[in-house]
Amino acid sequence: MSSTEVEAPARQTWTLVLASFGAFITSLDIVVVAIALPAMKIHLHATLAQLDWTINAYTLVFACLLLTGAAIGDRFGRRRMYLAGVAVFTVGSILAALSTTAEMLIVSRVVQGIGAAVLAPLTLTIIVDAFPPQKRAGAIGIWAGISGLGVAAGPVVGGAIVQGFAWQAIFWLNVPVGVILIALSMKFLRESFGGARKFDLVGVVLAAVALLGLSWAPVRAPDAGWGSAEVIVSLILGVVFLGAFLAWERRTDHAMLPLGFFKLRGFVVGNIGSFVQWFSLVGSLFMISQLLQIGLGNAPLAAGLRILPWNLTPMVVAPIVGQLAGRYGTKPFLVAGMALQVIGSVWLTLVVHTGVSYGYLVFPLIVAGVGLSMGFPTIASTVVGSVPPQSMGVASGTNRTISQAGGLFGVAAISVVFAANGGYTSAASYVDGFKSAMWVASLVPVIGLVAALFAPRKKAAAPSPSVAPADPSSKESGIAA
């Protein structure tokens, strides 16, 4: 069966559910561990640096290998590599739950990150392959809602598990989910491949090293300082290897990332939107979850529950917007989503003060959440809809890589602004730093709003399968302007 043939409705439903839950667990593990850090510190006798690396180890590996995961899926089979990714992620979760030292936990998080980097970019590609063009936008909306919920629900899930059970349960929860995903995926997912004729090993290595350098810098900057030798050297190495990667991709005849994609307006606009959206989302989540605990005195679970007006919007809004975008095009919803994200974040920043009542926070959280929820499906549709079908895997991997980079730089930049204007010595000091940091998180999405104005005006038609991935700039592969 070719990738353009229509799947049976039951198989389409199973594909959507299985791929979406794969995206959910990888997104959830980005933030869910943060809520358990105090308990881990006591049980594992961990230092502050070791606690940081329980998060950084996963985030760095995940960000650096996303393009590699997409490439090996396209070359060796998306279903096969999706199953392998889930298996590695599940093994990493078991090792993390059994960890008796901080060092063992950090290594386990590296294993989790490898599995997540393989399976995450394939979730969208598997869905796109299973659904005909007229149904893809709606399916992407559901996938985006569940995937986005994984990040936003982290504080709630983590708080509930830590208070009700133990920190190890955060990882044990992944095990039955992983086993079920593997069993059902073997039965219901079909195999598909991308357009790669030969595996681009040189490109994979250069991209991984470049992304490691560029990701290491924002991860270490809050502790080492942006002006430190470690961060500067990391950035320089990242830029050098990125240049080498681009030079190699330009000359090889089997590029893992055809550079012609960057001539496509939808691909560029969608990835700009993805970077600034996740910059704001992850940075805001980092600050708001602490505001509710440090600034307003809530327990971890209570704080997580108070973020629910923001958390739950992807589940409701993203599927609806996905359906509407399939009918009317992504541009109006992308513009509106970016605008609402800016409005809600600015509103929240303005109303926060020492002792503020939670009631004043609810409506701006909802507005910002609706904006984010509109962006999730429209960005994904804009990016993958701008490239030939056989190249959707690498387009998805590129988009996920850029979104992760946005989150890393968001936390780093917002932490620096917070530290320069406030601190943890008192609720008032925290609120001072929070307001300054949130202005950054609020205004960066303006860049995405401006970019969205240049998005293709009409619904993206799936590019012709006959278009070679190395030549996405040909007229057949473009999007109506």
Side-chain angles (χ1 to χ4, degrees):
M1 181 183 292
S2 70
S3 62
T4 57
E5 291 182 274
V6 178
E7 289 269 4
R11 186 176 292 271
Q12 287 178 348
T13 300
W14 275 110
T15 299
L16 180 57
V17 170
L18 295 171
S20 295
F21 269 92
F24 175 83
I25 60 174
T26 59
S27 298
L28 183 71
D29 259 53
I30 294 173
V31 294
V32 71
V33 174
I35 208 76
L37 292 180
M40 293 177 181
K41 183 179 187 302
I42 295 172
H43 186 263
L44 300 177
H45 307 290
T47 66
L48 181 60
Q50 289 172 328
L51 289 177
D52 286 343
W53 277 104
T54 62
I55 297 176
N56 294 342
Y58 179 86
T59 306
L60 277 172
V61 174
F62 187 38
C64 294
L65 297 182
L66 276 166
L67 269 179
T68 301
I72 63 176
D74 280 354
R75 180 64 181 86
F76 300 110
R78 293 159 180 163
R79 174 182 177 272
R80 181 181 296 116
M81 298 316 302
Y82 179 77
L83 289 169
V86 175
V88 172
F89 182 84
T90 303
V91 170
S93 298
I94 294 172
L95 294 175
L98 295 174
S99 294
T100 55
T101 66
E103 291 82 3
M104 182 178 175
L105 179 59
I106 292 169
V107 172
S108 302
R109 293 285 282 165
V110 170
V111 176
Q112 275 192 304
I114 294 171
V118 173
L119 76 93
L122 300 179
T123 59
L124 178 58
T125 314
I126 289 171
I127 290 172
V128 169
D129 175 75
F131 284 81
Q134 65 271 24
K135 292 184 178 181
R136 283 177 186 161
I140 289 174
I142 295 173
W143 167 87
I146 295 175
S147 180
L149 183 66
V151 174
V156 180
V157 175
I161 291 176
V162 171
Q163 288 190 202
F165 300 95
W167 66 266
Q168 292 92 338
I170 288 175
F171 301 109
W172 283 124
L173 183 64
N174 294 330
V175 178
V177 174
V179 171
I180 292 171
L181 277 178
I182 291 172
L184 294 178
S185 296
M186 291 178 67
K187 180 176 182 179
F188 291 106
L189 296 185
R190 74 178 185 191
E191 189 59 278
S192 66
F193 297 84
R197 298 179 298 276
K198 183 179 178 182
F199 187 60
D200 184 11
L201 180 60
V202 174
V204 164
V205 173
L206 291 175
V209 176
L211 290 169
L212 177 61
L214 294 174
S215 301
W216 186 279
V219 165
R220 292 290 299 140
D223 293 326
W226 282 102
S228 66
E230 177 185 358
V231 171
I232 292 174
V233 170
S234 176
L235 286 173
I236 291 173
L237 288 176
V239 171
V240 169
F241 275 90
L242 178 61
F245 169 72
L246 295 176
W248 171 258
E249 295 299 281
R250 185 176 291 111
R251 64 185 292 265
T252 184
D253 60 356
H254 52 274
M256 65 179 289
L257 176 58
L259 300 187
F261 286 176
F262 292 96
K263 298 178 181 179
L264 301 175
R265 198 194 313 174
F267 185 82
V268 174
V269 167
N271 281 307
I272 291 174
S274 188
F275 182 89
V276 300
Q277 181 188 54
W278 282 80
F279 183 107
S280 177
L281 168 61
V282 180
S284 297
L285 181 63
F286 179 73
M287 297 306 302
I288 293 170
S289 60
Q290 294 184 84
L291 170 73
L292 293 170
Q293 296 179 70
I294 299 171
L296 302 183
N298 293 289
L301 178 57
L305 292 173
R306 281 166 171 75
I307 306 178
L308 279 179
W310 190 33
N311 289 353
L312 294 181
T313 52
M315 286 295 294
V316 178
V317 176
I320 296 173
V321 169
Q323 291 282 358
L324 294 175
R327 181 179 304 174
Y328 301 108
T330 58
K331 180 175 182 176
F333 302 100
L334 182 57
V335 172
M338 286 292 174
L340 288 175
Q341 184 178 352
V342 172
I343 292 169
S345 298
V346 169
W347 185 1
L348 180 68
T349 305
L350 290 172
V351 300
V352 167
H353 58 81
T354 305
V356 64
S357 170
Y358 172 71
Y360 288 97
L361 310 182
V362 174
F363 289 109
L365 284 172
I366 292 174
V367 172
V370 170
L372 287 165
S373 303
M374 295 177 74
F376 290 145
T378 53
I379 286 172
S381 294
T382 300
V383 171
V384 299
S386 65
V387 303
Q390 65 267 34
S391 299
M392 287 179 177
V394 71
S396 172
T398 303
N399 184 242
R400 291 299 298 267
T401 300
I402 289 173
S403 67
Q404 290 305 310
L408 289 172
F409 277 92
V411 171
I414 286 170
S415 296
V416 169
V417 175
F418 171 81
N421 295 275
Y424 295 96
T425 56
S426 66
S429 177
Y430 183 84
V431 168
D432 289 340
F434 173 89
K435 290 180 74 71
S436 298
M438 279 301 295
W439 276 117
V440 176
S442 301
L443 296 179
V444 165
V446 173
I447 299 171
L449 175 58
V450 173
L453 296 174
F454 294 92
R457 290 192 297 271
K458 296 181 181 179
K459 182 175 68 172
S464 170
S466 63
V467 179
D471 186 27
S473 59
S474 66
K475 291 182 180 180
E476 291 84 2
S477 67
I479 302 179

